[in-house]
Amino acid sequence: MSTWKILDEDFDKAKIMALGVGGCGGNIVSNIADSGVNGIELVSLNTDSQEQNIIHKSKKIKIGEGHGAGNDPDSANKIAQDSEDIIRKIFDEKPEVLFLTAGMGGGTGTGATPVVARIAKELEILTIALVTTPFESEGGRKADQAQQGIDTLINYVDCLIEIPNQKIYEISKEKIGNTSAAYKLLNDEIKKIIKEISSMLLHPNKKNIDFSDLKSVIKGNGYAIVGLGESSGQNRTKNAIDKALTNPFFNQRDIRNAKGVIFFMKGSNDFSFSEFEEGRNAAKNLSEENAQFINGFSTDEMMGENVSVMFIATGLRRRRGSYIDQNVHIAIDNIGKLEEDTGEFVNIDGMSKIDIKKFLRGAKD
């Protein structure tokens, strides 16, 4: 005799957590809460009790004595290691996907985030880190601390998305005079990434992308980029793709030769298969020939005349704050041998011509 089991509608949904570490991470989690995103457990972890007081609508975890880490990553790292039992309890109901977000360059975010990531890795939680890096005006010491934090963190997370604070200034200096509004621009970028990936996993889709699909592209694949775009009207798909591929927080060359790509498109019932094909082909061209490529789409009448696209490109290579093509290998130590008047340019793998002297000096810096 057969036995039937009725499954709860949430049974197969991925369990997702967004965990913000330090002041920046807590602000991002708070921003997610304010946006009304459902289905994500929100947690803020900090060494500073005062910063925790302004965080709302999330579980708040204090480690240490509550006096902060004094802009010292080593101090924060020790506090986190001493608080390992507390951190492990955060994952008692083991999430399948962890969005780990923090600002690199200061104390708690830089020092404590790798400890949290290590624990998550030991528990086999798929972890996506989204981190910010300091403004150029904040000085070399903070930049070096950020670099060291990222170099440590990348060893423990499945993929890492880096968003430079400097881009806020470049994007908003002529449009946004208010400092709070400028920082919100960055927080919104991270919030949108978390929201769109979570929505893709939590809601049923016409051509589904599930947790296993995400894991196959992201797990152990290092540096990554997420591009988001939305448009309406004539050529809406092309325009949405262009927006996604020219994200102002990244350089377009960053996404060449990805080792893995996820493409997801959303629109109302009137968006055509040819539009989906257009987007899918554009995303496929980001990856290497044998790369893992997964695609899906969803219909939602709330989209109206709009279509939205998202791509996740993983397996990228990073050097000192910027991504470089996997096929580019340059001896930075030989930079001094370049003559000032050589004017040599190089074209790599179909990329735009670049001044090799300028590229090398930027990488060395």
Side-chain angles (χ1 to χ4, degrees):
M1 182 175 179
S2 298
T3 301
W4 293 86
K5 183 178 180 181
I6 299 174
L7 301 181
D8 183 87
E9 63 177 0
D10 294 326
F11 186 85
D12 292 321
K13 291 183 179 179
K15 292 182 288 186
I16 300 172
M17 175 184 290
L19 196 162
V21 182
C24 176
N27 285 333
I28 292 167
V29 164
S30 202
N31 193 32
I32 295 171
D34 287 338
S35 68
V37 177
N38 295 318
I40 307 175
E41 183 179 3
L42 302 177
V43 181
S44 171
L45 182 144
N46 209 329
T47 61
D48 189 328
S49 296
Q50 288 187 331
E51 287 186 337
Q52 288 286 60
N53 287 336
I54 63 174
I55 304 300
H56 54 281
K57 298 179 183 177
S58 75
K59 182 186 295 182
K60 295 186 280 190
I61 308 295
K62 184 195 76 174
I63 56 174
E65 298 299 318
H67 305 308
N71 200 38
D72 183 351
D74 291 336
S75 174
N77 187 269
K78 185 178 185 308
I79 291 170
Q81 291 191 55
D82 292 343
S83 307
E84 185 165 325
D85 289 346
I86 296 173
I87 296 170
R88 284 185 180 274
K89 286 181 180 178
I90 297 173
F91 304 125
D92 274 352
E93 296 183 14
K94 183 179 171 183
E96 291 178 304
V97 182
L98 171 65
F99 293 102
L100 185 58
T101 184
M104 292 287 112
T108 302
T110 309
T113 305
V115 178
V116 178
R118 173 180 60 77
I119 293 169
K121 182 176 183 177
E122 290 171 3
L123 295 172
E124 299 183 342
I125 299 169
L126 188 72
T127 302
I128 302 169
L130 302 101
V131 301
T132 64
T133 54
F135 288 99
E136 291 176 3
S137 59
E138 292 182 84
R141 177 177 176 177
K142 199 160 187 179
D144 287 343
Q145 288 184 171
Q147 179 68 41
Q148 291 166 14
I150 289 171
D151 288 345
T152 304
L153 181 61
I154 193 65
N155 295 314
Y156 301 119
V157 299
D158 290 291
C159 78
L160 186 148
I161 300 164
E162 178 185 333
I163 300 180
N165 282 349
Q166 187 64 26
K167 288 293 183 181
I168 303 174
Y169 178 70
E170 295 173 8
I171 295 165
S172 67
K173 63 182 178 180
E174 296 178 357
K175 298 179 181 178
I176 303 176
N178 184 284
T179 304
S180 296
Y183 275 101
K184 187 176 182 301
L185 185 67
L186 181 135
N187 286 347
D188 283 346
E189 183 69 18
I190 296 176
K191 176 195 70 180
K192 283 190 295 185
I193 291 172
I194 294 174
K195 179 180 178 181
E196 291 303 316
I197 296 176
S198 299
S199 177
M200 179 183 71
L201 296 175
L202 292 171
H203 300 140
N205 304 305
K206 296 291 186 181
K207 189 177 189 303
N208 208 42
I209 295 178
D210 58 22
F211 169 73
S212 296
D213 294 324
L214 181 71
K215 184 177 181 179
S216 69
V217 170
I218 284 179
K219 188 169 179 60
N221 251 349
Y223 293 97
I225 284 176
V226 177
L228 304 171
E230 185 170 334
S231 187
S232 62
Q234 192 174 10
N235 299 321
R236 60 184 183 177
T237 300
K238 180 182 182 304
N239 292 334
I241 293 167
D242 288 345
K243 288 179 181 179
L245 296 182
T246 56
N247 186 316
F249 286 100
F250 311 113
N251 295 317
Q252 190 166 2
R253 71 168 186 273
D254 297 348
I255 54 181
R256 299 285 179 174
N257 294 334
K259 300 297 184 185
V261 172
I262 286 177
F263 173 73
F264 189 73
M265 187 170 180
K266 185 164 59 175
S268 60
N269 280 322
D270 72 339
F271 93 83
S272 65
F273 184 75
S274 64
E275 288 181 291
F276 179 59
E277 277 288 273
E278 183 181 358
R280 183 160 56 179
N281 286 331
K284 184 69 175 69
N285 290 335
L286 302 176
S287 59
E288 294 184 345
E289 184 175 350
N290 295 321
Q292 178 84 321
F293 179 69
I294 293 174
N295 59 91
F297 71 89
S298 176
T299 58
D300 181 354
E301 288 306 309
M302 296 296 291
M303 293 292 294
E305 296 182 357
N306 288 15
V307 296
S308 68
V309 300
M310 173 176 66
F311 70 81
I312 306 170
T314 66
L316 307 174
R317 186 180 175 91
R318 178 187 182 275
R319 188 187 296 278
R320 276 287 175 184
S322 62
Y323 299 83
I324 60 175
D325 194 313
Q326 291 277 19
N327 297 324
V328 181
H329 300 282
I330 300 171
I332 301 299
D333 291 340
N334 292 330
I335 186 171
K337 298 179 182 179
L338 290 172
E339 295 294 334
E340 284 295 325
D341 58 353
T342 57
E344 293 185 6
F345 289 76
V346 63
N347 186 293
I348 303 168
D349 230 17
M351 293 164 56
S352 301
K353 287 185 177 181
I354 58 172
D355 186 328
I356 191 65
K357 293 184 300 180
K358 184 176 179 181
F359 179 87
L360 286 173
R361 288 197 177 87
K364 184 177 182 182
D365 292 340

